[in-house]
Amino acid sequence: MSSTLFSDDHWNGKLFTGIWTTGSSNSPVIEPATGAVLGQVAMADAQIIRKSAATARECQKAWAGKSYDQRAAILRRTAVAAEQHFEEIVNLLVKENGSVRAKAQFEVSLSIKCLQESSALPASSCGEVLPSAPGQLSLARRRPLGVVGVISPFNFPMYLAMRAVAPALALGNGVVLKPDPRTAVCGGYTIARLFELADLPSGLLHVLPGDGMVGAALIADPDIAMIQFTGSTQAGRKVAESAGRHLKKVSLELGGKNSLIVLDDADIETAVANAAWGSFLHQGQICMASGRILVQRNIYDRFVIELATLASSLKVGNPADSDVALGPLINEAQLNHVAHVVRTARETGAKVMAGGNADGLFYPATVLADVSPANDAFRSEIFGPVAVLTPFDTDDEAIALANDTEYGLSAGVITRDVGRALRIGDQLRTGLLHINDQTVNDDVINPFGGIGASGNGTSIGGPANWEEFTQWQWVTVKGEAPKYIL
């Protein structure tokens, strides 16, 4: 195995179609912390999508025909390759994605765990024996879909691609991955290279960065059986509309405006630590971020002061520096969105208790207090390091505030009374619920998905992977064919 994941110019200006091929047009890879150009990402087009989808479909037939242990062995070897190149991948995430080192290490670890767990899928039960008449068999078995199109985002670029790519391949599918061009190296080419080192059959996995038109071509292609999309709700609606027109199975993992409810019996120091983690981790660029901190009124004032104090102590800067807690936002467009939401919130009654002023792409941990439900900051997904605080009086009011949103991804409740938290949790419209934890959680083995504007009710991960990346086939077997009489 190579001592380095990438040699000089291994991916620069290239696409991965089972082999590394030179693209016809490029987009620069920008390090958000410094503005340095790290290289060029080759951009795919509709013609390349068509060719890759057809190639993956043809290669998938032989792949699905391999024994379960052959597929499992390749997934295991890919995990070993990722472990060997752990620090190199971490460094890529720090540079290309703006991740602080701890976040990057966590993301690579999750991706390795995803590969390890996916390697167990081929050997697990793939169907059921159904009741039938004596002398015949009735079976329901899970079969690969064919080729899965994966459209992945920039924020956790490696893991949010790997969590679809690995189980889809493990279950006998081919994959065409369109990573976000802003993070195509750590979110696409790294995955391609790891599977290449593990001797995945050529042509089964394709990595093709591109714009929205390329995504549209992927969805429309007749050789793509399913789309797994992770991204914004706005883009997800377009993906769902197109997938519906083409009668494609689609899994949507979209945005969130997630509530962390802090009850009055909570330990305030612990609750503040949870709120800071949920709001500021990776500059708040996480779909599960704690977008609303709902705090019971009799501890609210103290909570606001302590969270603002903690936020003001968090260092912002180049994530390559070891003492930095927050790196840069991904680009200027995201910075402008965050700044607009904070400015509008202040103008409509919210109090800025910490942060609120950018320095280039670096936006400090910001605390907005006294945010009313009428304020846009209460409703919009900010995708930036902004804690939005709102007081409540009763448990019923907390439930109503948490449910006052079109989203339904994640929720957390902090309290010493678990029974009380469960009663509240039972009434929250959310796909993920965490008692005595903040809202940002994923453990690979769990089904992950939201409802409403956070997704289409599908889940990915753990036991849900069989549902997502295969389809049922009913099989009956009789000793001899019956003689039907009309």
Side-chain angles (χ1 to χ4, degrees):
M1 189 174 291
S2 172
S3 59
T4 60
L5 185 61
F6 293 113
S7 60
D8 291 343
D9 290 333
H10 202 133
W11 56 265
N12 200 10
K14 305 285 180 45
L15 299 167
F16 185 77
T17 60
I19 58 174
W20 298 93
T21 60
T22 301
S24 59
S25 65
N26 295 328
S27 177
V29 180
I30 305 295
E31 182 178 8
T34 66
V37 177
L38 303 175
Q40 300 289 326
V41 169
M43 299 288 278
D45 57 26
Q47 183 179 359
I48 294 171
I49 290 289
R50 175 82 280 273
K51 183 177 179 180
S52 282
T55 299
R57 182 69 185 95
E58 189 60 32
C59 293
Q60 181 270 334
K61 297 172 186 176
W63 176 245
K66 287 187 178 294
S67 67
Y68 70 88
D69 50 349
Q70 287 176 308
R71 281 185 275 125
I74 288 177
L75 271 292
R76 289 194 294 268
R77 290 201 297 270
T78 308
V80 170
E83 289 173 335
Q84 178 178 353
H85 297 289
F86 188 94
E87 284 302 320
E88 189 176 348
I89 301 169
V90 166
N91 289 334
L92 283 171
L93 282 162
V94 171
K95 281 185 170 291
E96 186 186 31
N97 181 242
S99 302
V100 298
R101 183 161 294 275
K103 179 266 184 186
Q105 291 170 332
F106 176 66
E107 181 171 355
V108 179
S109 296
L110 273 183
S111 300
I112 292 170
K113 184 175 181 179
C114 180
L115 286 163
Q116 293 167 338
E117 293 297 325
S118 294
S119 72
L121 288 172
S124 59
S125 174
C126 58
E128 300 179 17
V129 178
L130 305 176
S132 60
Q136 65 183 49
L137 288 174
S138 181
L139 310 173
R141 63 178 181 175
R142 283 284 183 181
R143 305 291 290 161
L145 294 164
V147 181
V148 176
V150 178
I151 303 175
S152 58
F154 76 86
N155 54 332
F156 270 68
M158 185 182 186
Y159 174 61
L160 294 183
M162 188 70 83
R163 70 174 183 175
V165 172
L169 288 172
L171 292 169
N173 299 287
V175 173
V176 178
L177 167 63
K178 190 193 88 65
D180 190 307
R182 294 170 292 186
T183 51
V185 182
C186 50
Y189 296 152
T190 292
I191 294 171
R193 182 66 178 135
L194 291 171
F195 276 103
E196 184 181 38
L197 290 172
D199 294 324
L200 182 75
S202 180
L204 192 63
L205 170 63
H206 299 247
V207 177
L208 307 174
D211 58 15
M213 295 300 291
V214 171
L218 186 64
I219 298 167
D221 194 279
D223 283 316
I224 300 296
M226 173 196 171
I227 296 294
Q228 199 290 312
F229 173 84
T230 303
S232 71
T233 297
Q234 180 182 9
R237 294 184 195 276
K238 296 177 182 178
V239 170
E241 181 181 0
S242 180
R245 284 198 308 271
H246 293 93
L247 300 179
K248 297 284 178 74
K249 183 176 184 179
V250 61
S251 164
L252 301 175
E253 297 296 336
L254 308 178
K257 190 64 175 178
N258 313 291
S259 292
L260 175 62
I261 300 172
V262 181
L263 300 177
D264 56 3
D265 64 345
D267 177 82
I268 292 182
E269 183 179 355
T270 299
V272 165
N274 275 264
W277 181 271
S279 300
F280 306 140
L281 179 66
H282 193 42
Q283 299 79 259
Q285 298 172 125
I286 304 174
C287 60
M288 295 174 286
S290 301
R292 299 167 167 175
I293 314 297
L294 309 178
V295 184
Q296 201 145 21
R297 196 176 301 274
N298 53 342
I299 63 169
Y300 177 79
D301 290 341
R302 180 182 165 194
F303 187 95
V304 169
I305 292 171
E306 293 199 15
L307 181 59
T309 301
L310 175 57
S312 299
S313 72
L314 298 175
K315 184 177 178 180
V316 184
N318 190 327
D321 297 338
S322 60
D323 60 343
V324 165
L326 281 78
L329 294 175
I330 190 64
N331 60 17
E332 189 174 357
Q334 187 58 33
L335 173 75
N336 291 340
H337 169 70
V338 174
H340 172 75
V341 172
V342 172
R343 182 172 61 253
T344 302
R346 178 191 284 124
E347 292 169 352
T348 51
K351 298 176 182 176
V352 180
M353 306 299 293
N357 294 297
D359 179 8
L361 293 182
F362 299 101
Y363 203 93
T366 298
V367 176
L368 296 178
D370 302 347
V371 180
S372 75
N375 198 309
D376 184 55
F378 184 85
R379 302 194 169 278
S380 295
E381 184 180 28
I382 301 175
F383 231 60
V386 182
V388 175
L389 274 65
T390 301
F392 69 88
D393 291 301
T394 66
D395 291 4
D396 286 343
E397 185 182 0
I399 294 165
L401 288 168
N403 285 336
D404 186 12
T405 177
E406 64 174 343
Y407 296 103
L409 183 55
S410 185
V413 183
I414 306 291
T415 177
R416 288 187 172 93
D417 187 339
V418 173
R420 182 184 178 191
L422 286 170
R423 288 191 294 273
I424 291 172
D426 284 344
Q427 299 177 70
L428 300 179
R429 295 193 296 270
T430 184
L432 314 171
L433 174 64
H434 304 291
I435 305 300
N436 282 325
D437 206 345
Q438 44 73 48
T439 57
V440 182
N441 280 286
D442 196 348
D443 196 28
V444 178
I445 59 172
N446 54 285
F448 183 103
I451 59 176
S454 292
N456 59 337
T458 61
S459 290
I460 186 171
N465 283 330
W466 271 103
E467 294 292 328
E468 286 305 282
F469 299 116
T470 63
Q471 59 188 358
W472 283 110
Q473 183 186 61
W474 182 37
V475 179
T476 63
V477 181
K478 298 179 180 178
E480 60 182 44
K483 297 179 179 179
Y484 293 102
I485 301 176
L486 290 174

